[in-house]
């Protein structure tokens, strides 16, 4: 198969605080497993994202601290960048929505939609403070959600049910400044004409075959209730509306969600500009041989299966009103929206009050990133809500990583190091030897097929089944008993076992890139097997302001998706354990921490 170009579009974490393990189980680890697999399989991957920094929660936090919203965004951007790198997420570019580049690309999409008639101005009702007569931005209005009855819904969104709202939708709206009831007066906004995309979205969804059924059904159901949606908001922090009479206004911005999804495109363009090849992004957005996969938690499906595809269709001139593509040319729609369900955290133990969360940073201060990545891969919320418990985390770590995979690595390499000092050559193979080697080398096609279809839980489980098979082989053949009686046979068994270890290392690399590198070195390799992402301090390409990005050179890594013959004679040293066994006591310690946090 010739190499494909694959855009991995990863949901943009919102910069109002550190991320918890539920967040990274939705957008983070699955997108990285997918990208690492495709790079190993020889495909060209562009994996992009960044922090989503506009909108009401950021301005509310800034008001509460008496600082500029930029300060909140800067602080959380850096925390999130640190966390995602520590987890080993291999972004080609992780940037932010406050760059000049992002603002310009968002404005270009707006103008393309406007040119084709898919955004239109409409006079709507805006809130005014009766005591001051001034505009009351969305963030200062709260009230009861008309959909779920939550009594602290915001003027733009209900945080309880996740629905988008307009301030006029709220029941008993009130000012958060002084509690007064706002008065609503006429105010001009732009709206996205979603009903004009009903047919085009329906046709597109009808051709989507490989999506997880719950995601596809949810997306199709959204088509029953298409209404124009506000493209602009009464807020002073965000992307300016690029029109005369609007550009300089301090009370009108593009709605945060409508700029955040443009981030996939703007980050691709920034990546290309930073490489000095400003058109390199087109390979991932315009080619017929390119596929785009979007990764997120289920609360974001509406923006990726409806709003962003509608923006793209309108920009391309492919809605009911026709039109012509904007200056970038026609842009590809998502091939697949890969959405996870929710990961609750000790949900049963703490269900009586507000939910508890475990922050990525706290987690990684005490445990290895691969231990978390493994839990998410094998027990994460791929197709149903799942609960993380410390007891189950400890069990999986000890029984599966330490006693399963770690034990296979440790026994094979330590026996070989002690008895031969190097990888021995194999003599004549028995049926058992050939059976194991066929099983480990044959696993690449089977597990690769699962990973292509984002069936990561099945892929991780199958990889560990192959590990168990190799462990059984080693126990059955018992090479330690052959030391005195049949040294040649002992060499053959260890050669076969080490080849199986090397194959399993490759099979597990998408899930466990850090320990795969360790195993590669224990097997005598000195090169980079699986590349790690890096933080680079850069300057905004247009206005020079400094910020950190995540990037990496993943083309120089050795990792490939097939069985590579090991080299007899390669010196081996006694291994150190690859994974840490966790004591029983960590469960109670962690639960006590969670209880104290509440
Ligand atoms: Zn609600």
């Amino acid at each position: 198969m010739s190499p494909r170009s694959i855009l991995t579009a990863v949901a943009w974490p919102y910069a109002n605080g550190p991320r918890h393990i539920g967040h990274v189980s939705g957008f983070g680890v699955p997108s990285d497993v997918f990208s690492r697999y495709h790079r190993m399989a020889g495909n060209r991957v562009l994996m992009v994202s960044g922090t989503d920094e506009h909108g009401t929660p950021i301005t509310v936090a800034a008001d509460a601290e008496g600082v500029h919203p930029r300060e909140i965004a800067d602080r959380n951007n850096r925390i999130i960048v640190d966390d995602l790198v520590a987890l080993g997420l291999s972004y080609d570019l992780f940037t932010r929505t406050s760059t000049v580049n992002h603002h310009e690309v968002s404005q270009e999409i707006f103008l393309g939609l406007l040119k084709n008639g898919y955004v239109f101005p409409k006079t709507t009702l805006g809130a005014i403070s009766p005591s001051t007569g001034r505009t009351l931005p969305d963030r200062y209005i709260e009230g009861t959600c008309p959909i779920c009855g939550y009594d602290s819904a915001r003027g733009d969104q209900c945080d309880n049910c996740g629905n988008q709202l307009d301030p006029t939708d709220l029941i008993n709206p009130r000012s958060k400044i002084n509690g007064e009831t706002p008065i609503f007066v006429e105010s001009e906004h732009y709206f996205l004409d979603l009903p004009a995309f009903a047919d085009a979205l329906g046709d597109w969804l009808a051709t989507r075959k490989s999506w997880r059924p719950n995601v596809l059904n949810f997306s199709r159901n959204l088509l029953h209730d298409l209404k124009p949606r506000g493209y602009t908001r009464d807020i002073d922090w965000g992307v300016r509306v690029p029109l005369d009479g609007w550009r300089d206004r301090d009370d009108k911005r593009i709605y945060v969600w409508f700029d955040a999804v443009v981030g996939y495109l703007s980050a691709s363009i920034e990546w290309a500009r930073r490489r000095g090849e400003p058109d390199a992004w087109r390979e991932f957005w315009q080619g017929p041989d390119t596929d785009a996969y979007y990764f997120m938690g289920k609360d974001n499906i509406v923006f990726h299966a409806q709003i962003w595809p509608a923006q793209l269709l309108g920009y391309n001139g492919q809605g009911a009103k026709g039109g012509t593509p904007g200056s970038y040319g026609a842009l590809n729609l998502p091939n697949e929206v890969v959405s996870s369900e929710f990961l609750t955290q000790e949900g049963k133990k703490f269900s009586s009050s507000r939910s508890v969360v475990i922050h990525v940073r706290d987690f990684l201060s005490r445990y290895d990133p691969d231990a978390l990545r493994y839990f998410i891969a094998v027990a994460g919320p791929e197709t149903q809500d799942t609960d993380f418990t410390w007891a189950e985390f400890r069990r999986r770590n000890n029984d599966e990583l330490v006693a399963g995979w770690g034990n296979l690595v440790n026994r094979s390499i330590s026996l070989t190091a002690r008895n031969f000092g190097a990888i021995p050559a194999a003599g004549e193979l028995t049926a058992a030897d050939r059976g194991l080697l066929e099983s480990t080398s044959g696993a690449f096609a089977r597990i690769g097929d699962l990973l292509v279809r984002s069936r990561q839980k099945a892929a991780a489980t199958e990889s560990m089944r192959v590990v168990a098979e190799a462990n059984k082989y080693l126990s059955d053949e018992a090479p330690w008993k052959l030391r005195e009686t049949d040294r040649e046979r002992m060499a053959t068994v260890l050669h076969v076992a080490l080849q199986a270890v090397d194959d399993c290392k490759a099979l597990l690399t998408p899930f466990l890139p850090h320990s795969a590198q360790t195993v590669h070195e224990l097997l005598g390799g000195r090169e980079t097997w699986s590349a790690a992402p890096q933080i680079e301090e850069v300057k905004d390409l247009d206005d020079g302001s400094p910020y950190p990005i995540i990037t990496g050179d993943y083309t120089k890594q050795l990792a490939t998706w097939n069985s590579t013959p090991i080299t007899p004679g390669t010196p081996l040293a006694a291994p150190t354990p690859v994974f840490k066994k966790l004591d029983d006591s960590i469960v109670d310690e962690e639960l006590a921490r969670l209880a104290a946090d509440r």
Side-chain angles (χ1 to χ4, degrees):
M1 262 200 322
S2 58
R4 293 154 64 209
S5 303
I6 291 175
L7 175 70
T8 308
V10 192
W12 289 55
Y14 196 61
N16 63 338
R19 296 299 89 181
H20 59 68
I21 62 170
H23 291 130
V24 295
S25 73
F27 71 83
V29 172
S31 61
D32 188 60
V33 168
F34 181 83
S35 298
R36 285 182 181 273
Y37 161 73
H38 275 293
R39 291 191 191 108
M40 287 176 75
N43 294 316
R44 291 170 50 81
V45 173
L46 178 63
M47 173 169 162
V48 291
S49 187
T51 41
D52 173 10
E53 302 185 352
H54 300 133
T56 313
I58 302 253
T59 53
V60 168
D63 290 346
E65 289 189 31
V67 299
H68 192 272
R70 174 85 192 196
E71 206 172 312
I72 303 286
D74 281 348
R75 183 196 312 155
N76 290 313
N77 163 261
R78 194 164 284 277
I79 291 172
I80 291 168
V81 160
D82 286 346
D83 286 353
L84 301 184
V85 163
L87 207 45
L89 305 184
S90 58
Y91 294 98
D92 291 282
L93 179 66
F94 184 92
T95 177
R96 55 196 305 189
T97 56
S98 51
T99 64
V100 174
N101 175 73
H102 174 74
H103 283 229
E104 288 178 352
V105 175
S106 300
Q107 290 171 337
E108 164 62 19
I109 296 296
F110 175 86
L111 291 172
L113 287 162
L114 184 70
K115 173 185 67 107
N116 287 335
Y118 295 109
V119 292
F120 59 90
K122 185 180 157 190
T123 301
T124 160
L125 292 176
I128 297 277
S129 160
S131 58
T132 66
R134 301 226 305 265
T135 301
L136 204 52
D138 294 348
R139 69 173 174 279
Y140 292 127
I141 306 163
E142 65 178 22
T144 302
C145 174
I147 297 160
C148 73
Y150 179 60
D151 66 4
S152 300
R154 303 194 316 255
D156 60 346
Q157 184 169 320
C158 171
D159 283 335
N160 188 53
C161 67
N163 281 289
Q164 297 173 76
L165 301 172
D166 287 312
T168 48
D169 295 337
L170 296 172
I171 300 163
N172 298 324
R174 57 189 178 273
S175 162
K176 286 176 72 171
I177 301 170
N178 55 16
E180 66 189 356
T181 304
I183 49 173
F184 288 96
V185 300
E186 292 195 334
S187 166
E188 200 175 24
H189 280 287
Y190 278 88
F191 280 71
L192 178 65
D193 188 3
L194 278 178
F197 302 106
D199 290 345
L201 286 170
D203 291 348
W204 168 67
L205 285 172
T207 62
R208 303 298 96 199
K209 301 294 182 205
S210 57
W211 293 21
R212 292 173 183 161
N214 49 340
V215 183
L216 192 53
N217 290 336
F218 180 89
S219 305
R220 286 187 177 138
N221 283 335
L222 292 172
L223 295 177
H224 300 318
D225 186 30
L226 291 181
K227 290 183 300 220
R229 298 278 2 171
Y231 210 109
T232 54
R233 289 283 172 177
D234 288 315
I235 187 170
D236 55 7
W237 171 242
V239 177
R240 290 177 183 271
V241 183
L243 297 172
D244 292 343
W246 286 71
R247 199 175 280 114
D248 301 323
R249 288 186 66 161
D250 267 334
D251 58 345
K252 301 283 185 192
R253 292 289 187 278
I254 288 176
Y255 177 37
V256 56
W257 263 113
F258 287 61
D259 92 69
V261 289
V262 176
Y264 303 113
L265 176 63
S266 70
S268 303
I269 291 174
E270 182 184 340
W271 167 82
R273 291 179 64 193
R274 289 196 177 280
R275 285 167 65 90
E277 301 170 45
D279 283 327
W281 63 273
R282 294 182 184 278
E283 172 187 344
F284 298 94
W285 284 88
Q286 298 184 315
D289 303 320
T290 182
D291 292 323
Y293 291 79
Y294 288 67
F295 287 82
M296 70 211 64
K298 66 178 167 185
D299 49 337
N300 291 351
I301 294 175
V302 60
F303 293 97
H304 295 86
Q306 182 189 83
I307 303 288
W308 178 229
Q311 287 171 284
L312 289 165
L313 286 164
Y315 186 81
N316 294 346
Q318 294 169 329
K321 297 172 177 170
T324 53
S327 64
Y328 295 140
L331 302 166
N332 291 349
L333 267 62
N335 288 74
E336 185 161 343
V337 171
V338 186
S339 168
S340 298
E341 305 290 302
F342 289 146
L343 183 77
T344 53
Q345 290 140 64
E346 293 287 358
K348 289 187 191 77
K349 198 148 264 137
F350 291 100
S351 62
S352 57
S353 66
R354 74 183 174 83
S355 61
V356 300
V357 296
I358 302 161
H359 288 119
V360 173
R361 164 155 309 196
D362 292 340
F363 199 107
L364 296 183
S365 71
R366 294 189 285 280
Y367 307 99
D368 292 333
D370 280 8
L372 176 56
R373 292 176 63 112
Y374 180 71
F375 183 93
I376 291 171
V378 81
E382 186 172 288
T383 55
Q384 58 183 3
D385 290 352
T386 307
D387 195 36
F388 172 92
T389 67
W390 285 105
E392 179 68 357
F393 168 70
R394 185 189 148 277
R395 187 190 72 74
R396 295 239 181 221
N397 180 79
N398 288 359
D399 293 1
E400 297 173 13
L401 282 185
V402 177
W405 173 221
N407 186 39
L408 175 66
V409 172
N410 191 59
R411 329 197 251 172
S412 323
I413 296 179
S414 61
L415 265 176
T416 310
R418 210 175 320 132
N419 290 284
F420 298 95
I423 297 178
E428 201 177 325
L429 298 185
T430 65
D433 300 343
R434 280 194 301 273
L436 179 64
L437 293 177
E438 277 163 22
S439 183
T440 59
S441 61
F444 286 92
R446 209 162 56 241
I447 294 172
D449 181 59
L450 291 169
L451 288 171
V452 163
R453 294 185 288 131
S454 285
R455 294 192 54 202
Q456 299 189 353
K457 194 177 265 194
T461 303
E462 177 62 11
S463 306
M464 292 303 276
R465 196 195 60 72
V466 176
V467 166
E469 210 178 312
N471 263 324
K472 179 172 186 302
Y473 166 87
L474 208 52
S475 300
D476 290 351
E477 300 298 323
W480 49 88
K481 290 184 183 164
L482 303 170
R483 192 178 296 129
E484 314 299 333
T485 54
D486 192 347
R487 207 173 147 78
E488 197 181 326
R489 176 64 193 153
M490 184 185 191
T492 300
V493 170
L494 286 173
H495 179 97
V496 169
L498 291 172
Q499 181 65 57
V501 168
D502 197 65
D503 289 349
C504 291
K505 169 200 83 180
L507 292 168
L508 287 165
T509 296
F511 306 105
L512 309 173
H514 305 91
S515 46
Q517 178 66 34
T518 306
V519 173
H520 179 72
E521 291 166 16
L522 291 176
L523 286 169
R526 291 208 179 80
E527 321 80 345
T528 299
W529 166 260
S530 50
Q534 313 287 338
I535 299 174
E536 263 181 41
E537 301 294 333
V538 299
K539 289 196 159 57
D540 186 291
L541 291 165
D542 301 288
D543 76 4
S545 34
Y547 62 100
I549 59 169
I550 304 175
T551 186
D553 184 353
Y554 312 108
T555 59
K556 293 202 178 84
Q557 66 181 15
L558 282 189
T560 51
W561 193 255
N562 51 40
S563 174
T564 313
I566 52 175
T567 310
T570 307
L572 295 186
T576 47
V578 182
F579 301 104
K580 287 196 211 84
K581 187 161 190 238
L582 300 176
D583 197 81
D584 285 6
S585 63
I586 71 121
V587 175
D588 287 340
E589 283 163 28
E590 294 295 348
L591 289 175
R593 266 195 195 97
L594 284 178
D597 284 350
R598 285 158 71 223

